[in-house]
Amino acid sequence: MSEPKALTPTPAGDTYKGWLFKWTNYIKGYQRRWFVLSNGLLSYYRTQAEMGHTCRGTINLATANIAVEDSCNFVISNGGAQTYHLKASSEVERQRWITALELAKAKAVRNQAESDDSGDECPTSPPTSGQGGGARNSNSEVQSTLRTLGSKVEDLSTCNDLIAKHGSALQRSLSELEGVRLGGDTDGKIRQVTERATLFRITSNAMINACRDFLSLAQAHSKRWQKALHSERDQRIRLEETLEQLAKQHNHLERAFRGATVLPLSQSNPALDSKSSGSAKGDASDEDDENEFFDAMEDPAGFITVPADPKYHRSGSNVSGLSTETGIDDQSLCDEQSLGSNPESPQSLEVEPVRKRRTKIPDKPNYSLNLWSIMKNCIGKELSKIPMPVNFNEPISMLQRLSEDLEYYELLDKAAKCQSSLEQLCYVAAFTVSSYSTTVHRTGKPFNPLLGETYELDRLRESGYRSLCEQVSHHPPAAAHHAISERGWTLRQEISLASKFRGKYLSIMPLGSIQCMFEKSNNHYSWKKVTTTVHNIIVGKLWIDQSGEIDVVNHRTGDRCHLKFAPYSYFSRDVARKVTGVVTDKEGKAHYVLSGTWDEKMEFSRVMQSNKGENGTEGKQKTVYQTLKAKELWKKNPLPEGAETMYYFSSLALTLNEPEEGVAPTDSRRRPDQQLMEAGRWDEANAEKQRLEEKQRSVRREREREAQRAANLPEEGVEGVEVAEDAVIEDSFITDSPLKSKYSSLPPIVSLYLYSLTHTHTQSVPLFTR
């Protein structure tokens, strides 16, 4: 750390500069900052380079209190509105700063007193017509307050004179009493001293009362004036921020104008330049990163869409020529027109009685939550053993959330009917995006499934598919999901989660892949999920964002759809939650462009022609696609009426906990803590949740002991060891399973599915019984 610079006279007053460590928060601790003391104001910056444009904070020493804590630490506070906890590199440097601050404070107090005196001497000018009666009332109120304070000061002065007078008399009497010998005059002298002491006590009490009245009156008006001062300061800061933002937007517009193509904005797909976004983020950041925002992607949408030439819109006999020219068969265009214009493909005409599902659950109770009381009870415990209350949850499990991915199963039904693999890929990509639409308002955490817990969603009659999820690992948590449809598709996914807590937000990274197979075409698609970020974990209103990239790959043909989920950016001109994508064949040639948002809808456009064009201030190459008119690919279903009081559940989510006949004993519907929470009995749900978690821990410890005993036995004795029922839910359960020969040729998740049907549902001990 460099030594602070010596006092340097400046035209505006003495200036003192140097590095100090400032306390920021419990996560970052003390951070090195550049402090400048000038004209009675102490300001600080992150670096010396910021002095010209960005001040991180300023405190007025005239009203501040300076306190020394230890050899290197000291505190500056102005009564609660601002408090700086500072630390110097050494005791000598701390003393230099304390001396400079005290001198600056004394000078600021003198200057303020002189300014107040000069203000009192100035005659009050009559208000102008524009000021109106409000200014006159404010001026008269100030004058009245000053007169009241002046009379109190006169009372204090009078009390001070009386105290001095009676104090001197008392001192003389005490001196005379010391020189008096025992005799007849002693009683008179003692009586005289008693009288003078009484007068002094009365005068002192009057002085104390007058001081108390003056102090209370001064504090009352000081708070009002300080509040008005802070209001003016906040307005000035907001005005400066607005001007700064306008300047940045003006700069962005200039850059966009210099680099944009001659296209209407409504028909283009603009993207924010990453360099300008990065600089804007750096300029807007303040102390402790309180205004940290995600900027636009480092590689924004690398293409621009423009309307295709009118010749591509010709119909009739020219369609076949167009198809040959663009490398797409005639059947694909016909399928696109039929599917795009009629999203709801006709289903079977056979009518079967369908069970009526529920459309409402009990309203969410309005229970207050004391976060600190929870933290207090968690001191000294392992993080994995901290019982979190159901106040943070929603009354469904993670297995049921995985089943919610099938909310828009119709997209896979349409994909199964597509003749073109490229067009089928568009619907599969829309399905991947649709799975995030239910998360936009859902800030509650799902229940963590117990090891061996399952969830079966049978919608064969209504929707033609059946789904099964199972928790296959507890540490780390992992789940397997398998869904089969009568309409020619199969979906499976193996998902585990990794999370990172960043102080202000929580990032959740799903691990594992999702597979989708179509029977008719034998196309096999795979993709992974993007990162989910939960913002304002500690303070503020929770909100969720999805960001990252997805590659949906057709392993049979080599076709690929590259999707980009743009993270939220305060400075971006694009719509929030934007998703863009390009569908290409194995040669890399683009055939479709996808655009939309992950919380509303997705559209797709046929690419007629593409070429490379230079765009952007850094000369980055962006592909310009000439496309046909966009058609709707997917649109989010509206939420049920009153969803805001029902955890923002979708129509499918409302039915996930509905009792079903014939489900497994391990089904999530049978979890008592979930059922109690859904019924609004949260205290009972908390107790039940803690009981189930403790039961799972005890079962896990017993399983580990049995595994240890099995490991210590000779090889021929292993077969006689009994293993816990839920020990089969390990990733390698097929290895030692009696079903190994039967299911070894199938993919692991299919083996899990079949094993669950033949073993878990019939042999597992119920997880939720006492």
Side-chain angles (χ1 to χ4, degrees):
M1 180 184 298
S2 60
E3 289 287 336
K5 297 182 180 180
L7 285 170
T8 304
T10 62
D14 294 335
T15 302
Y16 197 67
K17 305 176 182 178
W19 290 102
L20 288 172
F21 287 92
K22 178 182 177 295
W23 176 262
T24 57
N25 52 49
Y26 284 100
I27 296 177
K28 296 186 177 180
Y30 283 95
Q31 296 293 320
R32 194 167 179 253
R33 298 291 183 259
W34 179 257
F35 280 82
V36 177
L37 174 60
S38 177
N39 296 331
L41 300 176
L42 180 65
S43 306
Y44 72 95
Y45 311 84
R46 283 191 177 174
T47 61
Q48 300 183 48
E50 286 189 346
M51 290 179 60
H53 55 86
T54 306
C55 177
R56 302 294 173 178
T58 302
I59 190 169
N60 188 357
L61 295 179
T63 58
N65 180 36
I66 303 172
V68 178
E69 290 187 332
D70 52 28
S71 59
C72 295
N73 291 26
F74 58 98
V75 180
I76 304 175
S77 175
N78 64 353
Q82 288 178 294
T83 300
Y84 294 168
H85 294 266
L86 306 176
K87 181 169 69 174
S89 60
S90 63
E91 186 174 0
V92 175
E93 185 178 354
R94 186 218 66 190
Q95 190 57 45
R96 289 179 181 174
W97 274 102
I98 292 296
T99 303
L101 291 169
E102 292 290 356
L103 291 174
K105 177 180 178 180
K107 186 172 182 180
V109 171
R110 287 197 304 270
N111 292 339
Q112 187 176 21
E114 293 173 0
S115 176
D116 293 342
D117 293 341
S118 62
D120 292 341
E121 294 172 0
C122 294
T124 304
S125 59
T128 63
S129 59
Q131 291 174 323
R136 287 194 296 270
N137 294 337
S138 177
N139 195 14
S140 61
E141 181 180 350
V142 171
Q143 293 298 329
S144 175
T145 303
L146 291 176
R147 283 195 299 270
T148 305
L149 291 175
S151 64
K152 293 293 182 181
V153 171
E154 291 177 359
D155 294 341
L156 290 175
S157 178
T158 303
C159 291
N160 182 58
D161 294 338
L162 291 174
I163 286 178
K165 177 182 176 181
H166 294 304
S168 300
L170 180 59
Q171 186 64 37
R172 286 196 304 271
S173 298
L174 291 174
S175 300
E176 291 174 359
L177 184 60
E178 289 177 356
V180 174
R181 296 180 179 180
L182 295 176
D185 296 335
T186 304
D187 294 336
K189 293 295 183 181
I190 291 176
R191 188 164 50 254
Q192 185 181 12
V193 170
T194 302
E195 292 175 355
R196 294 189 183 279
T198 302
L199 288 174
F200 184 82
R201 179 174 57 82
I202 295 173
T203 310
S204 300
N205 288 337
M207 179 68 171
I208 292 172
N209 292 333
C211 289
R212 185 184 296 113
D213 294 340
F214 178 82
L215 180 61
S216 61
L217 185 62
Q219 286 179 341
H221 291 284
S222 174
K223 290 180 180 178
R224 293 174 57 190
W225 293 339
Q226 192 175 21
K227 184 177 180 181
L229 180 63
H230 284 308
S231 178
E232 292 293 331
R233 179 175 176 271
D234 292 339
Q235 289 182 7
R236 178 177 60 84
I237 292 176
R238 284 195 295 268
L239 181 59
E240 291 176 353
E241 291 175 349
T242 303
L243 291 175
E244 183 180 5
Q245 181 64 22
L246 288 174
K248 291 174 182 176
Q249 292 180 359
H250 180 70
N251 185 27
H252 292 163
L253 289 174
E254 286 184 344
R255 293 186 179 184
F257 178 77
R258 288 195 297 266
T261 58
V262 288
L263 296 173
L265 185 61
S266 60
Q267 296 176 345
S268 64
N269 193 1
L272 189 62
D273 182 69
S274 60
K275 181 177 179 181
S276 61
S277 297
S279 62
K281 177 181 177 181
D283 294 340
S285 61
D286 62 0
E287 177 61 24
D288 307 334
D289 295 328
E290 287 299 325
N291 288 331
E292 180 178 351
F293 299 99
F294 286 95
D295 281 341
M297 293 183 177
E298 291 297 326
D299 183 18
F303 61 87
I304 298 175
T305 59
V306 299
D309 192 275
K311 67 180 181 179
Y312 293 120
H313 294 272
R314 289 177 297 178
S315 58
S317 60
N318 293 334
V319 172
S320 60
L322 168 62
S323 302
T324 305
E325 178 183 351
T326 56
I328 304 174
D329 57 9
D330 299 339
Q331 185 64 41
S332 173
L333 276 177
C334 296
D335 290 343
E336 177 188 349
Q337 292 169 359
S338 61
L339 287 172
S341 58
N342 185 19
E344 296 296 334
S345 300
Q347 304 297 332
S348 174
L349 297 178
E350 182 180 356
V351 179
E352 295 184 6
V354 178
R355 174 181 174 179
K356 186 176 181 180
R357 303 287 177 178
R358 67 180 183 180
T359 59
K360 190 174 180 60
I361 61 174
D363 290 346
K364 178 181 179 181
N366 188 18
Y367 286 147
S368 60
L369 177 64
N370 189 344
L371 180 62
W372 299 116
S373 64
I374 299 171
M375 301 292 287
K376 176 185 65 176
N377 297 328
C378 299
I379 295 176
K381 295 183 179 179
E382 293 183 17
L383 187 62
S384 60
K385 296 183 179 180
I386 296 176
M388 298 302 291
V390 299
N391 304 59
F392 297 103
N393 289 56
E394 57 183 14
I396 61 174
S397 72
M398 189 63 194
L399 301 180
Q400 292 167 309
R401 283 293 289 267
L402 284 178
S403 300
E404 274 193 84
D405 286 357
L406 298 171
E407 173 95 16
Y408 299 96
Y409 67 92
E410 302 96 338
L411 293 170
L412 296 182
D413 291 347
K414 296 175 187 177
K417 297 181 179 182
C418 290
Q419 301 295 326
S420 166
S421 62
L422 293 169
E423 191 174 296
Q424 187 179 71
L425 183 54
C426 291
Y427 283 97
V428 175
F431 175 78
T432 67
V433 176
S434 69
S435 62
Y436 297 100
S437 63
T438 60
T439 65
V440 62
H441 299 298
R442 302 269 290 278
T443 56
K445 185 181 83 68
F447 279 78
N448 290 331
L450 303 178
L451 181 61
E453 183 175 338
T454 61
Y455 182 74
E456 182 178 0
L457 184 65
D458 190 346
R459 293 291 190 269
L460 287 174
R461 284 192 174 184
E462 300 99 317
S463 308
Y465 70 86
R466 184 187 180 198
S467 164
L468 178 67
C469 290
E470 183 168 352
Q471 185 76 358
V472 297
S473 174
H474 187 60
H475 286 292
H481 180 208
H482 192 84
I484 299 177
S485 173
E486 295 178 337
R487 295 164 189 172
W489 56 264
T490 301
L491 181 75
R492 66 171 186 248
Q493 53 182 324
E494 302 160 297
I495 296 296
S496 61
L497 300 177
S499 60
K500 291 183 180 179
F501 181 61
R502 301 296 190 183
K504 294 184 299 184
Y505 62 91
L506 177 69
S507 296
I508 303 171
M509 290 78 69
L511 307 177
S513 62
I514 306 173
Q515 316 286 329
C516 185
M517 290 76 67
F518 293 93
E519 295 179 4
K520 184 177 180 181
S521 60
N522 290 325
N523 287 330
H524 178 191
Y525 299 91
S526 69
W527 66 91
K528 296 183 178 181
K529 289 182 174 287
V530 295
T531 299
T532 300
T533 306
V534 185
H535 295 268
N536 297 336
I537 291 293
I538 302 299
V539 178
K541 183 179 180 181
L542 292 175
W543 60 280
I544 292 178
D545 192 24
Q546 313 286 350
S547 60
E549 300 183 4
I550 295 178
D551 279 318
V552 185
V553 181
N554 186 337
H555 296 280
R556 187 182 70 85
T557 63
D559 302 336
R560 179 184 299 266
C561 177
H562 184 70
L563 294 171
K564 291 186 178 181
F565 288 67
Y568 173 79
S569 174
Y570 183 78
F571 304 104
S572 176
R573 296 171 296 171
D574 288 334
V575 296
R577 310 181 185 95
K578 183 177 181 179
V579 181
T580 58
V582 179
V583 175
T584 58
D585 57 21
K586 63 180 180 180
E587 305 296 336
K589 181 180 178 181
H591 292 267
Y592 290 94
V593 170
L594 280 68
S595 63
T597 58
W598 53 264
D599 67 323
E600 285 188 7
K601 65 177 181 178
M602 289 294 293
E603 297 178 340
F604 72 128
S605 306
R606 169 72 61 79
V607 175
M608 295 292 101
Q609 189 175 355
S610 64
N611 53 68
K612 290 288 185 179
E614 188 169 311
N615 189 62
T617 56
E618 297 181 355
K620 292 184 177 180
Q621 291 287 329
K622 287 190 176 181
T623 305
V624 179
Y625 294 123
Q626 293 187 20
T627 62
L628 297 178
K629 183 180 179 181
K631 296 182 180 180
E632 187 174 272
L633 195 60
W634 159 77
K635 186 175 182 180
K636 179 183 177 182
N637 297 327
L639 290 175
E641 183 179 356
E644 61 277 0
T645 63
M646 298 185 294
Y647 309 90
Y648 287 97
F649 278 179
S650 64
S651 299
L652 175 62
L654 289 174
T655 66
L656 295 181
N657 259 343
E658 194 173 9
E660 297 272 1
E661 296 181 0
V663 297
T666 55
D667 197 89
S668 297
R669 298 178 183 87
R670 299 180 180 270
R671 284 193 62 154
D673 49 353
Q674 268 185 212
Q675 296 293 338
L676 289 170
M677 181 187 179
E678 184 181 283
R681 298 155 61 184
W682 284 15
D683 292 337
E684 300 175 51
N686 278 320
E688 189 64 24
K689 179 174 180 287
Q690 190 169 358
R691 182 190 71 81
L692 289 176
E693 291 174 350
E694 186 56 38
K695 179 183 177 182
Q696 179 170 241
R697 295 188 189 102
S698 63
V699 171
R700 182 186 178 191
R701 288 192 294 267
E702 180 64 26
R703 186 168 61 251
E704 290 174 350
R705 286 193 294 267
E706 291 177 355
Q708 184 65 29
R709 289 197 299 267
N712 294 333
L713 289 176
E715 183 175 355
E716 61 273 8
V718 175
E719 296 179 358
V721 179
E722 294 184 1
V723 183
E725 290 289 343
D726 51 0
V728 299
I729 316 299
E730 297 295 334
D731 293 338
S732 59
F733 75 92
I734 291 295
T735 304
D736 299 322
S737 169
L739 304 177
K740 176 181 177 181
S741 59
K742 185 176 181 180
Y743 298 142
S744 59
S745 61
L746 298 175
I749 190 161
V750 180
S751 303
L752 170 66
Y753 177 70
L754 296 176
Y755 191 86
S756 300
L757 291 177
T758 58
H759 183 275
T760 306
H761 287 200
T762 57
Q763 299 181 20
S764 291
V765 177
L767 299 179
F768 314 126
T769 57
R770 294 184 180 274

